[in-house]
Amino acid sequence: MRITNTGYNPKNTLQPADIRRYNWYIWRTVIALFAFVVIMITLTIFDVFGQLPSFRDLENPKSNQATEILSSDKQVLGTYYVQNRSNVTYRELSPNVINALVATEDKRFYEHSGIDFGRSFTIFAHLLIGEKQGGSTITQQLALNLFSERSANPFKRIIQKLQEWVTAVKLERHYTKEEILTMYLNTVDFGAYNTFGIKSAARTYFNTTPDKLTPDQAALLIGMVNGPGIYSPIRHPDNAIKRRNLVLNRMAEQKYLSEGQAEDFKRKPLGLDFHQNNHFDGLAPYFRSVLKKEVQKIFKEQNINRPDGTPYDLDRDGLKIYTTIDATMQQYAEEAQKEYMKDLQAQFNNHWRGRNLYKSIHNFKFLLDQGMQKSDRYKQLKQQDKTDEEIQENFNTKTTLNLFTWHGNIDTLMRPIDSIIYSKMLLRNALMSMDPTTGYVKAWVGGTNFEHFKYDQVKSGTRQVGSTAKPFTYAVAIDNGYSPCLKINNVPDTIRGYGAPWCPRSSPAETLPGFITLRQALAHSQNWVTAHIMGEVKPEPVVELIKKMGITSNVPPYPSICLGTFDASVFEMTAAYSTFANHGLWTEPTYILRIEDKNGNVLYTHTPRVVQAMNPQTAYVMTYMLKGVIENGTGSRLAYKYGLRNPIGGKTGTTQNNSDGWFIGITPQLVTGLWTGCEDRDIAFQSTRLGEGANSALPIFAFYMKKVYANPALGIKKNVDFDAPANGVSIEMNCDVYNQQQQGNNSEVDNKLGF
């Protein structure tokens, strides 16, 4: 039997020399690692592994920050962005957001100087074996967000981590803790829907501002920071709730909430009020589209650049554009348009129901071919080298299409060529409202739906103005001493000397017989009397006045311009009519007040031009003439149907074949112009009763003004009349007195002649 020796063997005992040797190995390893880290950090500081942010970069960290368009009442109308990011200050942050962030991401944030060494030195081992280790402080994460992108290569990530350390320490030296927290929350990516920064996230997911976020809302958003995809409350609500509750637990552990409060918040539903971000969001999308091009033009013409000399990028540089648009009035204008255009489109559809469009509409086939060739679908097929036959087949094959309706967008199965017909038969509308004294534009509705129809009809588009041009001719007559009470025989009057003899037509049903006053002629939009006045005052002075009143389009000096045969924009016509309400002063329509960079430095301010287009007496008499349109003329439904009997002047306009319907209304404090029509002038109401401006444009003005008057905070007073000139009025506007004077003058002449 063999006996195994299990006793103590002194040879197995570590000798002091061995212990010293092993200790030396350990210390050498530690020293080597420490020296390696020191060398790596030193090399990092000296930009060996890539350039670190400079002091100037730290003072001006780059981030794609959205430019904000602000209304006169300090509302955000919308943004220009690549990343929908708008910055906030620390004071605009709820303490709940700060507490949730610190408790979850960096509980020793207020104690370290950029690096939490208790966690950071374990990073390298985890990275080398491919594991994720949350060792980054908030300051380090900020450094990553501002100056680099996370590398997928573990060895590159080690270098990147060293760069983050150095940058984080620099950030801590240059900024306070509050500033670092604010910068971090302004740079965080909150996932899909183009949501960057806490301000954008609060608006997207809860339709609120960062200062109003509750603990559970803050916990949900902060919970998304490290996984905006998997913790998305839209795509993965269960994950989002679990993550939110974890953040609430962390807040309780750090004593930001009591255990009871945390439990109460954990039992709440997500409570989302989701608003997906896109470039169509917000008020006044047509205005914002025009504004962007205007700002870019101003910057180029006036050489306004970044401090480094490069051009500003409105999508990335976080500018603030302060505008004259009043958000409340803009909303009223958009609501008024939607409210009436829905009804008018129904009238239009019923009017055309059952008719053969190809036979009833001039050039209809040409218009469809033109619409097809302008479409994105056609351009894409051409880029794919499709033949004309293949393109025609594509446009005649049913597919799923998204269409605009006044009841909301719909997805439907139809042929693309039919969608073009549908689009051609949709009425368009535009509105601009401005303060006649300051020139400030208060509301701008450039079309019916910017997502589907991006062409702006306020400033970019021009249409024939029709009878809204008549006041220009009458204004020249008044300036020459004519009284509104002057009577003219309402019969055809041919004008010669300007090419072929010209005499306008007048509908028998709409013609007032006999002698009528100039005020009556304008009120009822009588063509023959207007032509007679044009024959008296001549076209050239009328053109001169039109130009003084801001119409820039071509207006030839021909008699027919008295009936509005020229084109102009809603922008120009509204500003021109403001001259009547502003004592003869034309004030340039202004919609930009100033532009600031992201640091609040003023880059541009606007001062409107002012022109004395007509004398104050003429302007005042014209307001009296235009009030006649509303009191008993073509605009009378404003009073009898919509109940607006306060001092309002205005003029309806309807062009040939009812292609364009206009109404421009003036009050002492607000002038508003409207146009309605189809994209193509050949498509219109076949009935003047439906297509005239009194039916197609005036009702929107009525709905808009009723909303404006109902809100005293806007300061637009209902019962304020137009001011008479300080020097009085020499032109007689009381027709009884005027008639007596005329009779007296006639008697005096008769006596002198011996009759």
Side-chain angles (χ1 to χ4, degrees):
M1 180 176 179
R2 183 178 179 183
I3 299 175
T4 303
N5 182 7
T6 60
Y8 171 74
N9 184 354
K11 292 183 179 180
N12 295 333
T13 303
L14 287 175
Q15 299 300 314
D18 296 326
I19 293 173
R20 286 194 298 271
R21 187 172 69 256
Y22 292 144
N23 284 342
W24 173 235
Y25 290 153
I26 293 171
W27 277 108
R28 276 200 303 180
T29 303
V30 170
I31 293 170
L33 284 173
F34 180 77
F36 174 76
V37 171
V38 171
I39 292 170
M40 293 291 284
I41 290 176
T42 302
L43 294 174
T44 301
I45 292 173
F46 285 97
D47 297 336
V48 172
F49 302 120
Q51 189 170 3
L52 289 172
S54 65
F55 175 79
R56 183 175 180 179
D57 293 331
L58 294 175
E59 290 292 317
N60 299 281
K62 293 180 180 179
S63 63
N64 289 331
Q65 185 177 333
T67 289
E68 291 186 333
I69 303 100
L70 299 164
S71 67
S72 61
D73 48 346
K74 303 301 184 290
Q75 302 296 312
V76 177
L77 293 173
T79 53
Y80 306 131
Y81 60 84
V82 171
Q83 295 177 343
N84 189 23
R85 184 201 316 273
S86 297
N87 285 357
V88 294
T89 63
Y90 187 83
R91 288 179 295 179
E92 295 173 303
L93 293 169
S94 166
N96 298 318
V97 178
I98 301 298
N99 296 340
L101 176 62
V102 173
T104 306
E105 295 296 314
D106 191 356
K107 63 184 179 182
R108 287 189 287 273
F109 173 74
Y110 294 105
E111 301 166 15
H112 63 66
S113 297
I115 305 172
D116 186 349
F117 289 99
R119 293 190 297 170
S120 295
F121 280 109
T122 63
I123 285 291
F124 300 105
H126 284 273
L127 286 173
L128 289 171
I129 62 176
E131 292 182 358
K132 187 176 179 181
Q133 167 70 19
S136 294
T137 64
I138 290 173
T139 316
Q140 288 173 254
Q141 292 179 52
L142 173 62
L144 178 65
N145 291 345
L146 288 178
F147 303 110
S148 61
E149 295 183 3
R150 189 182 301 275
S151 174
N153 186 310
F155 294 100
K156 288 183 179 179
R157 185 69 188 116
I158 290 174
I159 300 299
Q160 197 175 57
K161 181 59 66 174
L162 292 171
Q163 292 174 326
E164 288 173 23
W165 281 3
V166 176
T167 304
V169 172
K170 288 184 177 181
L171 286 170
E172 291 275 351
R173 289 179 179 175
H174 286 95
Y175 296 100
T176 66
K177 290 289 187 180
E178 290 181 353
E179 290 172 331
I180 289 170
L181 287 170
T182 306
M183 291 170 67
Y184 176 82
L185 288 166
N186 282 331
T187 58
V188 173
D189 179 359
F190 285 92
Y193 316 111
N194 216 328
T195 306
F196 296 84
I198 191 67
K199 184 175 182 179
S200 180
R203 186 186 307 129
T204 298
Y205 292 103
F206 296 109
N207 195 27
T208 189
T209 51
D211 61 311
K212 294 183 176 65
L213 289 170
T214 59
D216 57 308
Q217 292 173 337
L220 176 70
L221 296 180
I222 295 303
M224 296 173 64
V225 167
N226 284 330
I230 60 174
Y231 299 129
S232 167
I234 304 300
R235 297 178 178 176
H236 305 289
D238 291 339
N239 291 350
I241 288 176
K242 291 177 183 177
R243 180 67 176 171
R244 178 200 69 178
N245 293 347
L246 173 63
V247 175
L248 289 169
N249 286 336
R250 297 272 177 86
M251 293 173 73
E253 290 171 5
Q254 297 301 311
K255 308 303 181 186
Y256 295 126
L257 295 174
S258 68
E259 293 291 342
Q261 288 175 318
E263 291 302 319
D264 288 341
F265 286 121
K266 285 161 64 176
R267 284 191 289 268
K268 291 181 66 174
L270 289 175
L272 300 176
D273 185 0
F274 181 69
H275 290 72
Q276 184 172 345
N277 290 311
N278 59 52
H279 291 279
F280 316 130
D281 283 342
L283 293 168
Y286 287 95
F287 168 74
R288 289 186 276 123
S289 176
V290 172
L291 176 69
K292 186 174 187 179
K293 295 175 183 176
E294 182 69 17
V295 171
Q296 290 170 333
K297 179 183 175 183
I298 289 170
F299 280 7
K300 183 176 181 180
E301 290 179 348
Q302 300 195 16
N303 199 29
I304 300 173
N305 295 314
R306 297 188 186 111
D308 62 3
T310 59
Y312 277 104
D313 187 336
L314 296 188
D315 295 322
R316 291 179 168 87
D317 287 338
L319 307 182
K320 282 185 167 42
I321 305 174
Y322 293 87
T323 74
T324 63
I325 298 293
D326 184 287
T328 302
M329 295 172 73
Q330 177 69 31
Q331 183 173 340
Y332 290 164
E334 293 182 13
E335 289 173 351
Q337 181 203 58
K338 183 176 182 180
E339 187 175 351
Y340 185 69
M341 288 301 293
K342 187 186 300 183
D343 176 59
L344 187 65
Q345 186 65 52
Q347 295 179 39
F348 192 75
N349 294 345
N350 291 333
H351 176 72
W352 280 101
R353 185 168 285 112
R355 300 193 187 197
N356 187 317
L357 302 180
Y358 289 88
K359 292 181 179 179
S360 302
I361 298 174
H362 179 64
N363 283 334
F364 190 68
K365 177 64 168 60
F366 170 77
L367 296 177
L368 290 190
D369 290 341
Q370 188 181 62
M372 181 179 72
Q373 292 167 10
K374 288 181 179 179
S375 69
D376 292 336
R377 175 182 290 270
Y378 182 89
K379 294 172 184 176
Q380 291 169 0
L381 292 171
K382 273 295 187 182
Q383 289 175 355
Q384 296 170 15
D385 295 325
K386 299 291 185 181
T387 64
D388 291 342
E389 290 75 16
E390 290 172 325
I391 292 174
Q392 286 289 344
E393 182 181 357
N394 183 284
F395 271 84
N396 284 284
T397 302
K398 286 188 175 182
T399 186
T400 301
L401 298 173
N402 185 263
L403 299 179
F404 161 77
T405 77
W406 281 109
H407 301 282
N409 292 349
I410 60 170
D411 291 319
T412 186
L413 188 68
M414 71 187 311
R415 299 185 308 164
I417 191 65
D418 291 332
S419 73
I420 293 176
I421 296 175
Y422 176 82
S423 175
K424 292 290 184 183
M425 298 301 290
L426 279 175
L427 290 166
R428 314 296 170 88
N429 173 263
L431 174 154
M432 190 181 94
S433 191
M434 64 179 285
D435 181 328
T437 304
T438 63
Y440 289 178
V441 178
K442 297 296 183 180
W444 180 310
V445 184
T448 50
N449 182 273
F450 186 75
E451 181 180 357
H452 289 270
F453 314 111
K454 291 183 171 56
Y455 187 72
D456 171 71
Q457 203 70 49
V458 166
K459 190 176 184 184
S460 303
T462 60
R463 296 290 286 243
Q464 198 173 95
V465 299
S467 294
T468 57
K470 288 177 179 176
F472 304 139
T473 299
Y474 284 94
V476 174
I478 298 298
D479 201 52
N480 288 338
Y482 285 54
S483 167
C485 299
L486 173 66
K487 288 186 176 181
I488 304 292
N489 193 13
N490 195 15
V491 294
D493 195 349
T494 300
I495 300 177
R496 293 175 171 82
Y498 297 89
W502 176 78
C503 178
R505 292 178 296 176
S506 182
S507 169
E510 297 174 357
T511 301
L512 299 180
F515 283 83
I516 60 174
T517 67
L518 296 190
R519 190 171 191 251
Q520 288 175 313
L522 181 62
H524 294 275
S525 205
Q526 299 295 289
N527 289 348
W528 288 338
V529 171
T530 305
H532 176 83
I533 296 300
M534 172 57 82
E536 294 286 325
V537 302
K538 308 305 178 189
E540 290 80 5
V542 177
V543 172
E544 183 181 353
L545 176 64
I546 288 172
K547 293 302 178 182
K548 285 182 179 179
M549 295 173 77
I551 307 296
T552 60
S553 54
N554 181 41
V555 184
Y558 291 109
S560 61
I561 63 172
C562 69
L563 303 188
T565 54
F566 60 91
D567 291 354
S569 66
V570 173
F571 184 85
E572 292 174 328
M573 290 299 290
T574 305
Y577 269 62
S578 72
T579 308
F580 299 131
N582 190 32
H583 312 290
L585 288 171
W586 173 84
T587 304
E588 179 186 18
T590 297
Y591 45 88
I592 302 174
L593 291 175
R594 70 182 185 280
I595 304 171
E596 296 178 356
D597 67 13
K598 64 182 179 181
N599 298 316
N601 300 310
V602 176
L603 303 176
Y604 171 81
T605 56
H606 182 75
T607 303
R609 292 185 297 116
V610 178
V611 175
Q612 186 75 53
M614 65 181 70
N615 70 60
Q617 174 178 254
T618 300
Y620 179 69
V621 174
M622 284 306 302
T623 64
Y624 170 70
M625 296 271 285
L626 291 168
K627 283 194 291 185
V629 177
I630 309 303
E631 290 171 4
N632 53 22
T634 58
S636 60
R637 73 177 68 187
L638 196 65
Y640 75 76
K641 185 173 182 177
Y642 298 107
L644 291 174
R645 295 180 173 86
N646 54 294
I648 296 178
K651 186 69 188 77
T652 58
T654 311
T655 62
Q656 191 172 11
N657 300 323
N658 308 303
S659 297
D660 306 279
W662 289 81
F663 181 75
I664 305 176
I666 67 170
T667 73
Q669 295 174 284
L670 207 61
V671 175
T672 304
L674 295 107
W675 165 88
T676 299
C678 286
E679 179 183 23
D680 300 297
R681 299 194 74 249
D682 284 322
I683 303 175
F685 280 106
Q686 301 297 291
S687 160
T688 300
R689 180 181 62 83
L690 296 174
E692 64 182 352
N695 183 64
S696 64
L698 179 147
I700 301 174
F701 173 84
F703 291 159
Y704 168 66
M705 290 303 296
K706 289 176 78 170
K707 292 173 185 288
V708 169
Y709 284 139
N711 187 346
L714 296 175
I716 307 298
K717 298 178 181 178
K718 190 172 184 180
N719 294 312
V720 176
D721 207 343
F722 299 94
D723 293 330
N727 297 327
V729 179
S730 61
I731 294 176
E732 185 57 64
M733 295 188 293
N734 185 319
C735 291
D736 291 335
V737 174
Y738 178 82
N739 291 333
Q740 291 176 0
Q741 290 175 347
Q742 293 301 106
Q743 291 174 0
N745 291 338
N746 291 337
S747 298
E748 185 177 339
V749 171
D750 290 344
N751 290 332
K752 287 182 178 180
L753 293 175
F755 294 122

